[in-house]
């Protein structure tokens, strides 16, 4: 169903699929079991220039947009389930998408060429233990100190700190209680992760978790991390719209990953349903097996269309919040339903490590909770698209 994709996106799809084809499910499972970063894929993607897709050509990138990044992420996830999502987290997402739209010329020149080459990695720090989904209430605070800011606070579940060169950190420069309106007083910073770790002002502790172990997700502590004022992304106190230009693309790419992960699980389930013979017929001939798989196929194609639409809107500079949320809801749901139905289709073999379904099952489940939970997405749709009263 690629009929509506532009040539640029089709070329990306072909190119990334070719890289992904070198790495089978056994590769992704091995990385997951060993809790190791997929260095080989990362290196191949860097050599191919795939991290710079949405970086303008003058900074060494491909000059394309979020649509092409979505297609790339989808292709990777289709090869290894949600494991492919490391692609967006580490570089094009929090780095390129944010800086291209809101970075200063100095920030772009310093970071984008290395990012496009795959030499620079990112992480994004928003979530806090006492705020959770209610990001308005974050407490990590940045206070001016001469030409610098000092950042103090704590974040939780931050992915890829261990590999990151740069962190996009979301802080309060005005506490929520004093901000008028409450969305005022957000400031986003670029933190030099390795420098702050070496200074001992930044530290992190990985959280043991049930899946997605190719990246750590960590508690992060900021103990007066010193950041020069030139590292502010956008304007001091006016970071809230910048934040949405991080969160909406993140939802769109999560949706793309969900579609790719659904394709991956469906592919395994369909092959098994064709080959496994019980009661003298392939199990896929039974409608109790066939129809749920057909339903997932239909839902995946629908989620994909909404994902592409949301990415296209973002690339046009048009509002995309509603579409990003609908895409995220649909992509995450279909990834989970596909993994669950594939699990059912494989019978006892689903529980065996011979097949990657047990890994896909674990990885797909978290997509309904992150990067934004299903309930908060529905709350957005209820209030923004249906004008119902707000509960959050
Ligand atoms: C593997 C992993 C990687 C992550 N990576 C990052 C990262 O790199 N950077 C980062 O900043 N964060 C990251 N996160 C954090 C993630 O974005 C949050 O976990 C997510 O936004 C949900 O927040 P929470 O866990 O605090 O849930 P909570 O806000 O505590 O919510 C708990 C439950 O209550 C529900 N709920 C809360 N309020 C309402 C309401 N008003 N109405 C209905 N239901 C409600 C939620 O939907 C949810 O089901 C990651 C998390 C995980 C698990």
């Amino acid at each position: 169903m690629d009929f509506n994709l532009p040539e640029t996106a089709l070329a990306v799809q072909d190119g990334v699929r070719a890289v992904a084809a070198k790495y089978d499910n056994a590769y992704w499972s091995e990385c997951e079991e060993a809790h190791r970063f997929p260095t080989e894929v990362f290196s191949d993607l860097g050599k191919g220039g795939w991290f710079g897709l949405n970086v303008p050509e003058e900074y060494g990138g491909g000059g394309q947009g979020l649509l092409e990044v979505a297609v790339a992420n989808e292709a990777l996830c289709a090869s290894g389930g949600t494991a492919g999502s490391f692609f967006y987290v580490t570089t094009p997402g929090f780095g390129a998408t944010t800086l291209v739209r809101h970075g200063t010329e100095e920030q772009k020149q310093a970071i984008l060429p290395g990012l496009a080459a795959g030499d620079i990695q990112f992480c994004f720090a928003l979530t806090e233990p006492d705020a959770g989904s209610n990001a308005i209430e974050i407490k990590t605070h940045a206070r001016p100190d001469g030409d610098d800011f000092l950042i103090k606070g704590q974040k939780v579940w931050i992915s890829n700190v261990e590999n990151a060169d740069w962190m996009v950190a979301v802080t309060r420069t005005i506490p929520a209680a004093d901000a008028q309106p409450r969305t005022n007083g957000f400031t986003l910073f670029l933190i030099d992760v390795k420098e702050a770790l070496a200074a001992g002002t930044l530290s992190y502790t990985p959280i043991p978790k049930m899946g997605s172990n190719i990246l750590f997700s960590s508690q992060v502590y900021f103990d007066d991390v010193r950041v020069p004022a030139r590292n502010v992304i956008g304007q001091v106190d006016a970071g809230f719209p910048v934040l949405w230009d991080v969160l909406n693309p993140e939802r769109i790419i999560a949706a793309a990953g969900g579609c790719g992960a659904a394709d991956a699980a469906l592919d395994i389930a369909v092959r098994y349903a064709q080959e496994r013979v019980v009661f003298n017929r392939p199990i896929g001939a039974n409608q109790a097996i066939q129809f749920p798989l057909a339903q997932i196929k239909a839902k995946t194609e629908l989620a994909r269309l909404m994902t592409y639409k949301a990415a296209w809107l973002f690339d046009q500079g048009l509002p995309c919040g509603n579409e990003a949320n609908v895409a995220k809801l649909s992509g995450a749901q279909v990834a989970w339903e596909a993994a669950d139905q594939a699990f059912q289709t494989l019978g006892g073999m689903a529980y065996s490590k011979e097949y990657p379904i047990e890994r896909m099952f674990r990885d797909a489940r978290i997509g309904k909770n992150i990067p934004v939970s299903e309930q908060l997405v529905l709350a957005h749709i209820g209030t923004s698209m249906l004008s119902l009263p707000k509960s959050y």
Side-chain angles (χ1 to χ4, degrees):
M1 293 267 292
D2 302 329
F3 63 90
N4 57 343
L5 283 177
E7 287 299 317
T8 46
L10 289 172
V12 170
Q13 196 172 55
D14 284 349
V16 175
R17 276 181 183 162
V19 176
K22 291 167 62 183
Y23 301 93
D24 58 10
N25 273 306
Y27 171 84
W28 289 106
S29 293
E30 185 271 309
C31 291
E32 174 65 21
E33 293 275 322
H35 293 205
R36 87 170 176 88
F37 188 77
T39 315
E40 300 78 7
V41 189
F42 192 88
S43 162
D44 267 3
L45 290 167
K47 281 185 211 143
W50 300 113
F51 289 120
L53 281 174
N54 58 339
V55 170
E57 287 174 14
E58 65 262 40
Y59 304 107
Q64 297 170 14
L66 194 68
L67 178 61
E68 284 76 12
V69 177
V71 165
N73 200 62
E74 183 191 348
L76 276 171
C77 288
S79 87
T82 42
S85 277
F86 84 98
F87 172 72
Y88 186 74
V89 172
T90 54
T91 33
F94 305 133
T97 309
T98 312
L99 289 185
V100 167
R101 199 167 270 198
H102 295 286
T104 63
E105 188 53 38
E106 185 188 352
Q107 290 167 355
K108 290 180 188 174
Q109 283 185 12
I111 294 175
L112 290 179
L115 183 154
D119 296 333
I120 287 179
Q121 290 199 35
F122 265 78
C123 63
F124 170 62
L126 168 63
T127 308
E128 297 191 3
D130 295 333
S133 304
N134 188 5
I136 294 282
E137 294 290 342
I138 62 164
K139 294 196 169 55
T140 296
H141 187 250
R143 64 182 195 281
D145 185 66
D147 289 339
D148 301 332
F149 283 81
L150 293 174
I151 300 178
K152 206 171 187 58
Q154 186 184 342
K155 302 278 180 186
V156 68
W157 284 116
I158 308 310
S159 300
N160 203 42
V161 185
E162 69 280 12
N163 302 308
D165 300 282
W166 293 98
M167 173 187 289
V168 174
V170 185
T171 72
R172 276 272 183 195
T173 29
I174 303 173
D178 302 334
Q180 281 300 333
R182 274 156 44 89
T183 51
N184 195 22
F186 278 87
T187 306
L188 276 68
F189 288 92
L190 278 167
I191 296 180
D192 185 328
V193 175
K194 297 203 157 79
E195 188 181 282
L197 288 173
T201 51
L202 186 75
S203 57
Y204 68 93
T205 310
I207 303 168
K209 52 182 177 168
M210 77 181 252
S212 309
N213 281 305
I214 59 172
L215 300 178
F216 295 164
S217 300
S218 300
Q219 301 256 19
V220 181
Y221 307 93
F222 304 74
D223 188 9
D224 282 342
V225 176
R226 182 170 290 281
V227 185
R230 65 174 181 278
N231 283 17
V232 171
I233 308 174
Q235 302 296 315
V236 174
D237 291 340
F240 202 64
V242 182
L243 179 58
W244 276 110
D245 278 344
V246 183
L247 299 182
N248 280 327
E250 185 187 34
R251 288 172 195 192
I252 295 166
I253 299 302
C259 294
D263 286 338
L266 196 59
D267 184 50
I268 292 168
V270 166
R271 263 187 287 135
Y272 197 85
Q274 282 166 337
E275 288 164 10
R276 173 73 171 158
V277 175
V278 185
F279 296 109
N280 299 319
R281 61 182 170 203
I283 57 169
N286 301 306
Q287 291 176 349
I289 293 290
Q290 188 183 111
F291 283 9
L293 296 177
Q295 181 80 61
I296 285 160
K297 177 68 179 161
K299 284 186 183 177
T300 309
E301 297 305 342
L302 288 170
R304 206 183 323 271
L305 278 181
M306 186 51 95
T307 303
Y308 293 166
K309 177 180 175 182
W312 181 85
L313 286 169
F314 180 84
D315 287 338
Q316 304 311 305
L318 294 168
C320 66
N322 291 343
E323 291 78 6
N325 278 283
V326 174
K328 159 66 183 59
L329 179 77
S330 316
Q333 285 181 342
V334 80
W336 167 243
E337 287 171 23
D340 190 33
Q341 193 54 41
F343 202 100
Q344 198 62 34
T345 305
L346 266 68
M349 288 312 286
Y351 217 53
S352 149
K353 296 239 171 189
E354 188 183 333
Y355 286 89
I357 290 300
E358 56 83 27
R359 168 173 58 79
M360 292 177 174
F361 187 79
R362 283 180 283 130
D363 285 353
R365 182 59 186 84
I366 195 59
K368 279 159 67 78
N369 293 23
I370 66 165
V372 57
S373 75
E374 193 163 288
Q375 288 82 4
L376 268 292
V377 167
L378 289 169
H380 173 96
I381 294 170
T383 54
S384 292
M385 299 178 78
L386 301 177
S387 303
L388 287 166
K390 216 167 171 176
S391 70
Y392 60 101

